[in-house]
Amino acid sequence: MAKALAKAVGYIYVDTGAMYRVVTLYALRQRLIDNGRIYEFALQQHILCGRISISFQLDETTRQPLACLNGEVVETNIRGMEVSSNVSHIAALPFVRTFLVAQQQRMGKAKGIVMDGRDIGTVVFPQAEMKVFVTASAEVRAQRRYDELVAKGDTSVTYDEVLANVRERDYIDSHREVAPLRPADDALILDNSTLTREQQNEWLLHQFQLHAR
């Protein structure tokens, strides 16, 4: 949805959720996560020493941004269930949020940007020209995620596993002490449980035309 708006109005698109997933992938690769336990001090030292570089590379075919870890395209790697099962725990760490929020704020200084993430309207850009809080039932979001995984060839997970992961992430993200998931007071609320992609994109573009300056 955010990608479609950015493309329609000629803005830059940034998926901040992908940035947290990249950090999670790095931690998994470096064995800084062991059976759900995160070696927080070690991960913090890796960040402070500049060992994690996150960037986006434009796919020449789809014209969509691909997440990169230290120059390697990891877009497919960060969408798997192992990363999904750990990303909310990584995202709850204050030093990780400080590291990534600073990057996100630098990206948005020049404006002309559509940023997608769970704390954009409340923490990263509380003065954004337009904020949209998009929601849907856990069941609908799980089905969409499951269909997406299957379309990419991942048949190792079941719908029930994806649904459990969605519910767990929602709980962790909405109950964390730092930047909990919630709509900004002035956010537009969209429940897209029963909308098609075309309908939600049309709604969002209309709101942009009304609110963006």
Side-chain angles (χ1 to χ4, degrees), residues 13-26 29 51-60 64-79 99-100 103 107:
Y13 167 73
V14 176
D15 177 3
T16 64
M19 299 172 74
Y20 287 96
R21 286 175 173 270
V22 170
V23 174
T24 304
L25 178 65
Y26 178 88
R29 286 181 170 182
R51 296 180 184 175
I52 304 177
S53 173
I54 301 171
S55 59
F56 290 91
Q57 176 180 311
L58 196 65
D59 186 303
E60 294 183 0
Q64 298 292 348
L66 304 174
C68 301
L69 168 60
N70 296 332
E72 174 196 354
V73 175
V74 293
E75 186 66 33
T76 301
N77 309 74
I78 65 173
R79 304 299 175 181
F99 168 57
L100 294 182
Q103 286 194 33
M107 290 176 180

Side-chain angles (χ1 to χ4, degrees), residues 192-205:
N192 68 0
S193 297
T194 62
L195 298 181
T196 65
R197 288 190 178 186
E198 291 74 19
Q199 289 171 330
Q200 70 175 12
N201 290 344
E202 182 180 343
W203 179 91
L204 184 58
L205 181 58

Side-chain angles (χ1 to χ4, degrees), residues 173-193:
D173 290 352
S174 60
H175 287 78
R176 66 189 177 214
E177 292 186 11
V178 180
L181 170 64
R182 64 176 179 84
D185 292 338
D186 57 346
L188 303 169
I189 308 297
L190 173 63
D191 186 328
N192 68 0
S193 297

